[in-house]
Structures are given as structure tokens and as C-alpha cells.
Amino acid sequence: MGIIVPEIAADPLKADFDWFVSQLSVSEFARGEPKGSLLTLDHRRVLLEILKARRDVMLVPVSLNLERDDPSFFAHAPLKVRELIESNLPLESPHMSREQRAKLARRFGRLSGPAMVRLVAHGIAISKAIEALACRYNCSRFYSDCEDISFTFDRVGRVGSREQLIFLDSFVGWISNWSRSVPIKIPPDLGESHPLLVRYGRRDSGRLVFDLRKMLSGKIAFEDSKQVWQLRLADFVVSTWSRAIADYDGSTGCRELFRGLYRKSALPCETPLGLVGASDRTECVPGPHHLEIFARMVVGESKILPCG
């Protein structure tokens, strides 16, 4: 779960966040830190009301569906990626030298399956967040925010772990290559004079695209959630999102929360769950049948958008 927080929304949202944490009971803390997994249903409802009151803040959910995948796919994926990179070493790359790619391939080969899944989710989250900036934050009140875009992930493991280094070394090239077959959407009415495209746009075979290296290089950080309140807020929201989706049969009372989450989601209306699968192919396939309830729930629901 990503949360887009423009500079003008940061202080008011922080005040709301601090108030919300002050209302939590002792049972919603673990080792002195509030935990999304421990929130009561009533407090999840309050959280959604806070988010809905902050029009400038939007959510970027990524629902990774592992249901159809053979566990061996993830076990073998790091080695397959290593082999793919090594097979392409003779080719020139605008993103990395041959020596850098050879080192990256060795690092990929030593990743675990769960770490590989996290990297996939991180890459998708960044591409969806960039698309949200272009589609949801393109009015003049956010022009100044185009100057300083940054992404902060909740750190898993130690500082400078293999997982973090691989992502920082590879994500620009990976997302750039991936977006050739699944382009990051740029609204047709977003002209080249728009500040976001003046700063980060370029032409690729006549098509207007984002210069991801210029936009993202040096802008990715992995931080401890104990030190970054936005990450703790994201923990609250991702837990609420997952509880809502897991309650597709309506047995726990969490399913009702999905309407509020959907209204704050920056995703296109036609993809309410942001459902993706880990695969070595790029194609659209039907999602699990039992999740169709969520698309039906939000028919006719309007989103709360920063630009109206």
C-alpha cells in the first residue's frame, strides 16, 4: 500500500495521525509501536474517515495474487532472472555497464523467493504511483510538487541488505523495459508544457513517456517505520485493505470498509483491487471469481480526488 502525501497535506495529515494514535488502546500496540494488524474494526472506520477528509491524500494499493502460482515458481525465479540477465550481457544497456549487470545477476541468483516477491510488488507500486501523479495530481495546485518527488519503503532487514541494493540498482531499467509493453498512462490532455512533463517527459519513438532515470534516481529510500510516521500510517491502511479483501464473504464486518478505501484509491476505476500476479508474462487474465464482489460493491461510487 502506497500513500501519496503532497507537501501541502503533510502537516494536517500528521496532526490527524498523532490524534488517531492517541486514541488507540494498549492492545493495539506491540513493543511500544502501534500496529495495523491490531486495530479494532471501529478504529479502522475512524481511519477511513480521516483519509476521506484529506482530499489531497490518495492511496496506491497493489494486491499481489499468489493463488494461482506454483510455489516452485518463486523458488526458481531468482535463478531464472540471473540467467536472463547473463544471457543479455553481450547487449548494450543505457542503464548499466556489462560489469554492473554481471554483478547484479549474481545478486539476483542469491535472493530468496519472498524477497523476489517484495521486489515485484515494489516495482509495480512505483509505476502505479507515477501513473497516479499524472492522472490524479495534474491540476495547477500541485505544479510545485513536481520539483521534489520521493519514494520511501518500509525497510525489511538490515540497512544496505542485498534486497535493497538489488532494487536500487535494477528498478529504473526494469520498470523502463516493463513500461514498453505496459506503458505508464499519461492522460492525452496532459500537454508537454505541463510541469511534470517539462521536468520528466521525453519522446520515445514518437510516444511521450517519462524519463524514469531522471525522475527516480536518488529518490528511493528504505526507512524504519519507527522513524517515519507515513510508513506507520501505511501499515494501518494496508492492514485495513487486506482485512477488507480477505472478508469477501462478509463474515467479519471488514468487507464494508472497501467502499471507503476505493474512494481514496488513485487506481483507475476499472481496476478497483489493483490485482496483479507474479509471472514471466505480461497479459490480462481473469481474477479469482470470489473477489468479483468488490467490483460490484463500488458501482456508482465516486472517488474523492485531489483535483476535483
Side-chain angles (χ1 to χ4, degrees):
M1 177 65 69
I3 302 181
I4 300 177
V5 184
E7 185 176 351
I8 59 175
D11 288 343
L13 183 62
K14 175 62 162 60
D16 288 343
F17 173 81
D18 290 341
W19 174 85
F20 179 73
V21 171
S22 74
Q23 303 303 303
L24 301 181
S25 65
V26 174
S27 62
E28 293 167 288
F29 285 74
R31 295 182 294 278
E33 184 178 4
K35 292 293 184 182
S37 60
L38 301 177
L39 294 181
T40 65
L41 181 56
D42 283 343
H43 278 151
R44 295 182 194 280
R45 294 191 183 104
V46 173
L47 177 66
L48 287 182
E49 292 305 313
I50 289 173
L51 291 173
K52 286 190 289 185
R54 296 297 171 192
R55 178 176 292 274
D56 294 342
V57 177
M58 296 209 79
L59 309 178
V60 183
V62 176
S63 301
L64 193 58
N65 176 30
L66 308 181
E67 190 173 78
R68 295 188 177 183
D69 293 301
D70 186 324
S72 64
F73 173 85
F74 299 102
H76 298 149
L79 183 58
K80 288 176 66 176
V81 173
R82 174 177 179 167
E83 292 171 348
L84 177 63
I85 296 173
E86 290 178 338
S87 70
N88 289 324
L89 286 179
L91 303 177
E92 292 296 321
S93 168
H95 305 291
M96 303 179 74
S97 68
R98 178 172 179 171
E99 292 73 18
Q100 289 172 324
R101 285 181 286 144
K103 183 178 181 180
L104 180 65
R106 293 192 294 272
R107 284 177 169 171
F108 259 113
R110 293 193 290 267
L111 273 182
S112 67
M116 187 76 188
V117 171
R118 281 194 294 271
L119 292 184
V120 169
H122 285 168
I124 294 170
I126 284 181
S127 66
K128 292 300 181 184
I130 293 171
E131 188 169 282
L133 295 179
C135 296
R136 306 300 194 188
Y137 289 86
N138 51 29
C139 55
S140 59
R141 59 196 303 261
F142 298 108
Y143 282 0
S144 61
D145 289 312
C146 298
E147 297 296 314
D148 187 17
I149 297 171
S150 62
F151 298 81
T152 304
F153 287 99
D154 195 358
R155 190 177 72 234
V156 177
R158 61 179 177 81
V159 176
S161 67
R162 179 185 297 126
E163 181 179 335
Q164 293 172 32
L165 293 175
I166 287 176
F167 187 73
L168 293 173
D169 284 346
S170 66
F171 76 94
V172 171
W174 172 39
I175 299 175
S176 296
N177 291 331
W178 180 18
S179 62
R180 289 193 178 97
S181 55
V182 185
I184 295 175
K185 182 179 178 181
I186 298 177
D189 58 347
L190 201 69
E192 292 185 61
S193 61
H194 189 280
L196 190 64
L197 292 174
V198 168
R199 188 167 178 82
Y200 302 114
R202 65 180 179 84
R203 289 282 175 179
D204 183 3
S205 302
R207 182 166 61 93
L208 190 59
V209 300
F210 286 116
D211 184 335
L212 296 179
R213 178 169 294 279
K214 185 176 182 181
M215 179 183 282
L216 301 174
S217 292
K219 301 296 183 67
I220 307 294
F222 289 84
E223 302 288 352
D224 189 332
S225 62
K226 292 181 180 180
Q227 308 300 324
V228 181
W229 66 269
Q230 294 95 329
L231 293 178
R232 298 198 297 278
L233 175 59
D235 174 61
F236 294 164
V237 182
V238 74
S239 171
T240 302
W241 178 270
S242 61
R243 293 289 179 91
I245 294 176
D247 187 33
Y248 57 87
D249 61 358
S251 60
T252 69
C254 288
R255 187 176 69 183
E256 65 181 78
L257 302 173
F258 185 74
R259 286 189 177 88
L261 290 162
Y262 168 82
R263 296 194 68 199
K264 292 299 298 177
S265 167
L267 297 182
C269 298
E270 60 270 21
T271 55
L273 290 178
L275 194 66
V276 296
S279 173
D280 50 10
R281 303 182 305 278
T282 302
E283 59 188 32
C284 293
V285 299
H289 178 74
H290 62 269
L291 297 182
E292 292 178 3
I293 179 62
F294 296 104
R296 296 196 297 270
M297 282 176 62
V298 297
V299 171
E301 289 283 347
S302 61
K303 290 182 179 283
I304 302 172
L305 300 174
C307 292

